[in-house]
Amino acid sequence: MIPFAKNALLLAPMVGITNRAFRTLLDELGGPDYAFTEMASAEAFSSHAQYEAVYTDARPSPRATSVQFYARSAAAMAAACKEILSRAALEAPAGIDINFGCSAPHIRKSGGGSAWSSNPAGAAELVAAARSAWPGTLSAKIRMGPDDDYDRFLSFCSRIAEAGLDFLSVHPRTDGQKLRRQPQHEVTLRLAGDLSIPIVANGDITDRGKALALLGEKGAYAVMIGREAVRRPWIFQRLRAELSGAQAGAAVDSLAIDRLAVGLRFLELVGSLLPEAWQLETCRRFFSYYTETMSFAHHIKYKLMNSPSLETMGGVLTEYFEQVPEDRMIFE
Ligand SMILES: Cc1cc2nc3c(=O)[nH]c(=O)nc-3n(C[C@H](O)[C@H](O)[C@H](O)COP(=O)(O)O)c2cc1C
């Protein structure tokens, strides 16, 4: 079951960012068609470790959100799926997403994320265990693995797809490639032709041209946006209008955005929706991307990163836009 339509716009999972506060902000700005929580450890979730309920909180739109888990065993994944099932119906997520892509050393060392790429049989068992335990949408997200050997990658993806996935999100960089390197989208497009399940394309999708190059009849089923949604949280509304405008051949009205109001609203949402222990770090992560396109990005970022409270951050932001008023309203 795929819970979104062809050409949908998805929000990528991002640790420390795609929590309930950020997803609420996006929804208020015309949000994605479908979203993912940040990754959580299946083991920690099942053992009710501190904050696991917050990592996996699928609100404000649980019926359009998947909770992402990484796991080091099929049993742990199945246990987490069962635990999620017991959530009150209104807050139950539409889907579970399995992280096969994270190459961060501590995740690989724990046997999760991209560590599975060397064990395709085990990865397929993990998917099958989740499939038997979870009746909702089941997906996975993957990078290319240790190298750019397409046959190895296709074989891995086919095995996990056949074990019961509804769709697969592909971030076409190898484990060692930093986000500065170009994603190999030709691999995603090839995979879309070779696999029997829908492919979601991810990696550096920042505008209509990039999205259109990946969509299309033989291309990806949908696109997934990560960092650009933090730099421009209104991007989904903008892209949606542009993509339907492109189909109709019509010009699209520009969108007026007040960057101060968006920043202050985020601070408010974080203050009211997240545990206190998360608040400062969440805002630091958000603002480190959000300020990137501002005229004096380095200056404002430095001041925000060194602010001791959300209140100070609000003051710093307000003062910045008083000093640089031309940065406040943008028309896209
Ligand atoms: C700060 C940050 C945190 C991330 N956390 C996750 C995560 O929890 N799970 C995951 O599958 N990918 C994670 N990723 C990878 C993104 O989902 C995405 O694949 C990557 O950023 C490329 O997409 P983009 O160019 O649209 O940002 C993270 C990326 C960033 C920058």
Side-chain angles (χ1 to χ4, degrees):
M1 183 183 26
I2 306 163
F4 44 84
K6 169 80 179 116
N7 296 344
L9 306 173
L10 276 53
L11 171 69
M14 286 181 286
V15 164
I17 296 176
T18 56
N19 49 48
R20 183 178 169 195
F22 181 65
R23 285 182 279 108
T24 303
L25 179 77
L26 292 188
D27 278 8
E28 290 178 359
L29 293 166
D33 297 305
Y34 199 80
F36 297 79
T37 65
E38 63 188 289
M39 66 178 174
S41 151
E43 281 91 347
F45 175 70
S46 302
S47 61
H48 300 251
Q50 197 187 17
Y51 301 128
E52 291 304 316
V54 189
Y55 285 122
T56 57
D57 186 342
R59 290 173 289 176
S61 305
R63 301 314 301 155
T65 303
S66 282
V67 169
Q68 192 189 63
F69 284 118
Y70 66 94
R72 56 180 165 195
S73 73
M77 183 56 82
C81 292
K82 285 184 189 143
E83 180 84 23
I84 285 266
L85 258 186
S86 66
R87 273 201 189 159
L90 278 178
E91 291 178 15
I96 296 222
D97 188 74
I98 305 175
N99 183 314
F100 283 126
C102 184
S103 54
H106 66 290
I107 303 293
R108 280 184 62 84
K109 221 167 152 191
S110 80
S114 71
W116 285 104
S117 58
S118 59
N119 180 8
E125 264 173 44
L126 188 79
V127 173
R131 185 69 292 170
S132 343
W134 174 251
T137 297
L138 183 66
S139 58
K141 182 162 175 282
I142 193 165
R143 271 189 175 225
M144 284 166 56
D147 52 42
D148 43 23
D149 176 348
Y150 181 74
D151 291 336
R152 176 198 52 75
F153 187 49
L154 173 62
S155 159
F156 184 90
C157 293
S158 304
R159 287 186 81 158
I160 57 170
E162 282 158 19
L165 294 180
D166 292 310
F167 68 90
L168 179 65
S169 306
V170 180
H171 175 202
R173 288 183 171 99
T174 61
D175 287 352
Q177 275 171 353
K178 300 269 185 274
L179 292 175
R180 284 190 302 275
R181 291 281 294 274
Q182 287 284 328
Q184 301 183 51
H185 286 309
E186 63 284 3
V187 170
T188 307
L189 292 173
R190 218 174 143 189
L191 205 60
D194 288 342
L195 273 196
S196 56
I197 59 168
I199 295 296
V200 173
N202 166 242
D204 286 1
I205 300 168
T206 50
D207 58 33
R208 179 180 94 156
K210 289 184 177 156
L212 281 174
L214 288 160
L215 296 167
E217 214 177 303
K218 292 197 175 145
Y221 185 83
V223 290
M224 174 189 269
I225 299 173
R227 290 161 297 158
E228 194 67 6
V230 198
R231 296 182 193 109
R232 294 158 61 218
W234 47 87
I235 187 172
F236 296 102
Q237 184 185 156
R238 178 70 203 155
L239 261 185
R240 191 172 293 119
E242 285 183 340
L243 292 177
S244 51
Q247 264 166 13
V252 178
D253 288 343
S254 63
L255 194 64
I257 301 292
D258 179 344
R259 287 202 278 194
L260 172 60
V262 172
L264 293 178
R265 178 65 183 146
F266 183 66
L267 288 168
E268 197 173 78
L269 288 167
V270 167
S272 62
L273 298 176
L274 297 186
E276 205 177 333
W278 283 33
Q279 294 181 358
L280 257 187
E281 187 52 31
T282 296
C283 292
R284 287 186 180 138
R285 286 201 182 209
F286 170 83
F287 283 118
S288 73
Y289 288 101
Y290 187 66
T291 52
E292 265 180 30
T293 56
M294 293 178 192
S295 304
F296 300 93
H298 188 72
H299 165 81
I300 174 82
K301 185 171 162 180
Y302 179 82
K303 287 191 101 173
L304 286 165
M305 296 307 114
N306 287 293
S307 295
S309 68
L310 303 200
E311 207 183 344
T312 319
M313 283 183 169
V316 163
L317 212 56
T318 305
E319 190 184 61
Y320 176 81
F321 288 111
E322 276 164 10
Q323 287 168 353
V324 193
E326 63 278 18
D327 260 14
R328 182 168 167 180
M329 293 302 299
I330 53 167
F331 299 88
E332 299 210 329

